Amino acid sequence: MFYKTLKELQAGDIINEDLYHNDSLLIKKGTELQPQYITKLKRFCIDKIAILAPLQKISEQKIHTSFEQIIKQVEQSHPDKKTSLTFFYQTAQHLLSENRYGLALNSEEQLSMVIEQFEALMQNSFIHGLFLQLKDWDEYTYKHVVDVFVLGILFANYLGLPKLSFMAKACLLHDVGKLSVPLSIIQKNGALTYEEFELMKQHSIKGETMLDTEEETNGISYIVRQHHERLDGTGYPDGLKEDQIDNYTRILMIVDVYSALTLDRSYQAAKGSQEALSIMSLGQSKFDTVYLRKFMDMLHIYAKHSIVTLSSGEKAQVLEANDYYPYLPKLRNLTTKEIERLPINLSTHISKSTMLPQEALEQGVLHGSNFTYEQFVQELLAGDYFQASHVFRDLTHQLQLDQVYTDLIYKTLQALIHKLNEEEISLSDLYLAFQDINQLAFHNLDKIRGSIDTKRKILIVTPGIQDMPFISQFIQHCFRLKGWDAIVMEHQLAIVDIAKFMKRHHIHYVCTFLTPMSDVEEVELFMQVFKRYYPQYVVTLCTEFYQNNFTMKNHSDFHGTLEELMEKLAVFYSMTNNGDFLHFVPYTTSNSNVHTPSMLTLE
């Protein structure tokens, strides 16, 4: 049984036996301690409390004892290496005791293997010298390379890689190129400028050059150059993709990013282990998903909303995990639909990661929960994108694309705007929800593109809009759901250039819109000038997001909410021989007898 004193208790600790005081039950076994519980316990004279011990995890005492023994041996056998080895052991001992390692280190044999690999590398004077330079150059870089070395060796050993020493060398020296980067950039407390980031990106090339000079290290230099590449081609320095990146580099990429996210940096506080893995899962196209799932299996820590296989054979969705016991998450059993935490005695445990969150959504594993659209709105406002995605898939998997708009997206939009008008949510809440809706629509674009009529084009421009591209994207997705080839253009071009663009691409329709943040005068001026000089085009105004100003409706051929606008345009498009018209004469006060869209009884 593992015990803690009252002073040692932390929020997130889990009580491992019923706790009584004078025969009265205070806290039940299995309860996760909250700060108010700890405050309550301090009122009672209790010496120690049984707490769930780290499962299958080598104790901090064993780690300390092992390192102490090794240091004594080094003092006798390798006095010239005493400094570097002592530095490493002190740092590694601290790192290995952190909860973000999960259950990766669970035996003394593993610990001995890590130590042996490091000692072997220190026998080479060139590697030994580089390690000491890193220690003296920058504290975070040094701690990070030790962290990547330990995690990388444990992961390589878990995977059964044949060249363990090769991987150990690559992990320890992967950031050696940072010795060529100015400390003012490495230690900057804030975001790097473009020029500074370009200099930082050179560290992988500099590292390759440094290691190419020695026979002992030139074999790993390509990994050092490539460790910031990504499978989707968005990495640096060469923008490599998929088959151009070998397995050793793919493994190092995962370990490197996990370490960077979970260690404190000069410009960013450390993230919790589950949060870090969730972020990495969001970018699953950047990493090898097989290795990413196996990395989670080694740690026994899983991204939120990923799907795991239990020892019972059932599948479950991972929910939240606290940072003190990240390997004991709450789960939603996909068979029973019940939410439960893994039992303390591990009578049921996670056998393996089955799907990353996005994989589960794409394959429909999370369907069938009978959600309501109100729950979709709640998840959007709660900021839980994956749960919102889950609900979205459940609500739409049997709908046609146009029904997705009419039955869900439009209703959701109206509900959000109503909440804003009733002051139940803020403008920022609304915009964040819009961003998530856009992202959900983006994931369906491949399906949407298949139903687009490429002759039916509309240009969406955003004059007078500040920092709100997601609204124009939202309108774009909605038009696409209705079969329009909608193109977004920020209003940074002159009106004459916009007209040239429309002529070149055979676009006859232009749409602008108002929001509470719009510069109304600028929008009105844009429409007025555009209609005056380019009357052959159909100008439309969407009032979905702001309906308090209609003085500019005389400058538009159609206006209304998004649904009204698309309905009017659909009718007009069909009445103009499917949009195949040479000239369009707008309604103006000087030519009121012309038959124009605004006179086609569509309002």
Side-chain angles (χ1 to χ4, degrees):
M1 192 74 72
F2 180 74
Y3 290 92
K4 281 188 176 183
T5 65
L6 283 175
K7 291 183 179 180
E8 296 171 329
L9 287 179
Q10 297 174 309
D13 282 342
I14 298 174
I15 298 295
N16 203 13
E17 63 181 10
D18 290 340
L19 187 60
Y20 289 88
H21 180 70
N22 294 334
D23 297 327
S24 297
L25 180 64
L26 294 179
I27 301 179
K28 190 176 180 180
K29 178 180 178 180
T31 299
E32 181 178 328
L33 286 181
Q34 304 297 327
Q36 61 268 30
Y37 296 163
I38 298 176
T39 301
K40 180 180 178 181
L41 287 172
K42 289 179 179 178
R43 301 172 187 168
F44 303 97
C45 298
I46 302 175
D47 294 331
K48 56 185 180 179
I49 297 172
I51 298 297
L52 180 65
L55 303 174
Q56 303 174 7
K57 186 176 180 180
I58 189 169
S59 70
E60 294 181 33
Q61 183 58 45
K62 285 185 178 180
I63 294 174
H64 177 74
T65 302
S66 296
F67 281 146
E68 286 293 318
Q69 293 173 350
I70 292 294
I71 290 174
K72 289 180 181 178
Q73 294 173 8
V74 169
E75 289 178 350
Q76 299 174 356
S77 57
H78 303 290
D80 57 323
K81 303 295 191 301
K82 176 184 176 181
T83 301
S84 57
L85 290 172
T86 301
F87 284 154
F88 170 77
Y89 297 144
Q90 289 173 344
T91 305
Q93 179 179 336
H94 171 73
L95 292 170
L96 286 167
S97 65
E98 294 181 344
N99 292 322
R100 64 194 183 86
Y101 268 67
L103 303 180
L105 186 66
N106 51 50
S107 71
E108 292 186 59
E109 289 74 20
Q110 287 178 304
L111 182 59
S112 297
M113 179 267 299
V114 171
I115 293 172
E116 289 169 6
Q117 289 293 331
F118 182 78
E119 282 188 321
L121 290 177
M122 290 301 100
Q123 299 309 307
N124 181 274
S125 58
F126 179 65
I127 297 175
H128 179 240
L130 289 176
F131 179 76
L132 290 179
Q133 288 182 61
L134 286 168
K135 172 66 176 68
D136 294 336
W137 185 242
D138 175 61
E139 182 179 354
Y140 167 76
T141 302
Y142 163 74
K143 186 176 180 181
H144 172 63
V145 297
V146 172
D147 192 43
V148 170
F149 171 80
V150 176
L151 272 171
I153 289 299
L154 289 172
F155 191 33
N157 184 61
Y158 178 84
L159 294 171
L161 294 186
K163 298 192 291 185
L164 203 58
S165 58
F166 178 82
M167 191 65 191
K169 195 182 305 179
C171 288
L172 188 67
L173 300 177
H174 78 283
D175 262 351
V176 71
K178 287 187 178 177
L179 292 170
S180 301
V181 179
L183 281 178
S184 60
I185 294 178
I186 292 178
Q187 298 177 350
K188 183 176 179 179
N189 186 18
L192 299 181
T193 66
Y194 174 81
E195 293 77 14
E196 290 170 336
F197 186 55
E198 288 300 307
L199 283 174
M200 176 66 86
K201 285 162 62 175
Q202 291 296 310
H203 81 274
S204 56
I205 299 174
K206 298 286 188 183
E208 177 192 39
T209 302
M210 294 170 66
L211 299 180
D212 268 341
T213 62
E214 295 290 326
E215 181 179 355
E216 183 65 24
T217 57
N218 59 19
I220 62 158
S221 62
Y222 78 93
I223 300 180
V224 172
R225 181 186 180 94
Q226 296 176 8
H227 74 278
H228 281 287
E229 299 287 358
R230 298 295 180 258
L231 299 190
D232 61 0
T234 60
Y236 64 84
D238 303 310
L240 301 181
K241 292 184 178 181
E242 293 287 348
D243 294 342
Q244 297 172 300
I245 304 173
D246 74 358
N247 289 337
Y248 288 97
T249 307
R250 293 176 183 221
I251 292 167
L252 179 54
M253 283 162 45
I254 291 170
V255 174
D256 179 48
V257 173
Y258 180 76
S259 172
L261 288 172
T262 55
L263 288 178
D264 281 320
R265 312 179 79 170
S266 59
Y267 59 89
Q268 177 179 285
K271 299 186 183 301
S273 50
Q274 187 188 49
E275 182 184 2
L277 292 170
S278 297
I279 292 171
M280 295 171 70
S281 297
L282 277 171
Q284 66 179 50
S285 62
K286 300 180 183 298
F287 302 104
D288 187 301
T289 55
V290 173
Y291 284 139
L292 185 53
R293 289 199 302 269
K294 288 186 177 296
F295 185 66
M296 295 180 191
D297 287 337
M298 178 190 75
L299 298 174
H300 282 264
I301 304 172
Y302 297 89
K304 190 175 182 180
H305 300 305
S306 58
I307 303 300
V308 295
T309 301
L310 304 177
S311 55
S312 63
E314 295 174 302
K315 298 289 193 298
Q317 178 190 15
V318 177
L319 303 179
E320 68 274 5
N322 70 63
D323 289 334
Y324 295 102
Y325 298 100
Y327 37 81
L328 286 177
K330 288 183 179 179
L331 304 169
R332 177 183 284 111
N333 189 304
L334 296 184
T335 301
T336 65
K337 309 301 181 186
E338 294 181 356
I339 295 177
E340 55 199 23
R341 187 183 291 278
L342 285 178
I344 293 174
N345 61 7
L346 287 185
S347 56
T348 301
H349 58 273
I350 296 175
S351 297
K352 64 177 181 179
S353 170
T354 304
M355 293 182 189
L356 298 179
Q358 197 56 47
E359 291 175 316
L361 290 169
E362 290 170 358
Q363 296 185 34
V365 172
L366 300 179
H367 287 159
S369 299
N370 298 318
F371 290 105
T372 65
Y373 109 90
E374 288 84 1
Q375 288 173 282
F376 180 54
V377 173
Q378 290 173 7
E379 297 298 347
L380 288 171
L381 293 175
D384 191 333
Y385 175 76
F386 278 114
Q387 189 61 19
S389 301
H390 178 182
V391 179
F392 181 84
R393 297 267 177 157
D394 186 78
L395 293 172
T396 63
H397 73 284
Q398 292 183 336
L399 298 179
Q400 298 297 320
L401 284 173
D402 59 339
Q403 292 176 310
V404 172
Y405 169 75
T406 57
D407 292 0
L408 180 59
I409 294 181
Y410 185 72
K411 288 173 63 178
T412 301
L413 175 63
Q414 293 297 91
L416 290 169
I417 292 176
H418 176 73
K419 287 180 178 292
L420 178 69
N421 292 335
E422 295 296 318
E423 299 184 350
E424 296 177 20
I425 62 174
S426 67
L427 200 58
S428 61
D429 292 331
L430 177 71
Y431 292 161
L432 289 172
F434 279 2
Q435 284 181 303
D436 283 346
I437 295 173
N438 278 326
Q439 183 71 7
L440 289 168
F442 176 78
H443 284 310
N444 286 278
L445 278 185
D446 288 340
K447 297 178 183 178
I448 295 170
R449 290 186 196 282
S451 61
I452 287 175
D453 180 354
T454 55
K455 291 183 179 180
R456 189 163 51 159
K457 296 182 179 180
I458 187 166
L459 184 69
I460 301 167
V461 295
T462 59
I465 306 296
Q466 296 283 332
D467 300 323
M468 292 191 293
F470 41 88
I471 294 183
S472 55
Q473 292 165 6
F474 179 81
I475 294 175
Q476 178 190 37
H477 295 336
C478 290
F479 267 107
R480 285 179 169 178
L481 283 167
K482 288 294 187 179
W484 286 80
D485 188 1
I487 302 165
V488 173
M489 176 180 287
E490 299 298 328
H491 183 55
Q492 298 173 344
L493 298 179
I495 289 179
V496 63
D497 293 323
I498 294 177
K500 288 178 180 178
F501 179 87
M502 293 178 68
K503 182 177 180 180
R504 185 183 311 120
H505 294 279
H506 306 288
I507 303 172
H508 297 292
Y509 301 84
V510 61
C511 175
T512 188
F513 56 90
L514 289 170
T515 77
M517 301 295 289
S518 295
D519 183 332
V520 175
E521 292 182 0
E522 185 175 346
V523 177
E524 185 169 10
L525 180 63
F526 166 80
M527 296 176 64
Q528 186 176 10
V529 173
F530 197 91
K531 284 303 300 181
R532 178 183 301 168
Y533 291 99
Y534 303 101
Q536 68 269 35
Y537 297 119
V538 179
V539 176
T540 67
L541 173 67
C542 176
T543 60
E544 186 78 63
F545 310 99
Y546 188 60
Q547 303 182 26
N548 294 339
N549 190 306
F550 290 103
T551 61
M552 63 185 71
K553 69 178 182 179
N554 291 329
H555 306 303
S556 67
D557 301 302
F558 299 111
H559 70 273
T561 66
L562 195 51
E563 185 175 39
E564 293 168 345
L565 197 57
M566 290 192 292
E567 182 181 347
K568 294 174 183 180
L569 286 176
V571 174
F572 175 68
Y573 183 81
S574 66
M575 295 179 66
T576 55
N577 194 21
N578 291 330
D580 185 16
F581 54 90
L582 295 176
H583 297 286
F584 168 66
V585 182
Y587 172 79
T588 65
T589 55
S590 61
N591 189 11
S592 59
N593 293 322
V594 176
H595 288 280
T596 63
S598 59
M599 298 174 65
L600 293 176
T601 65
L602 297 178
E603 296 189 330

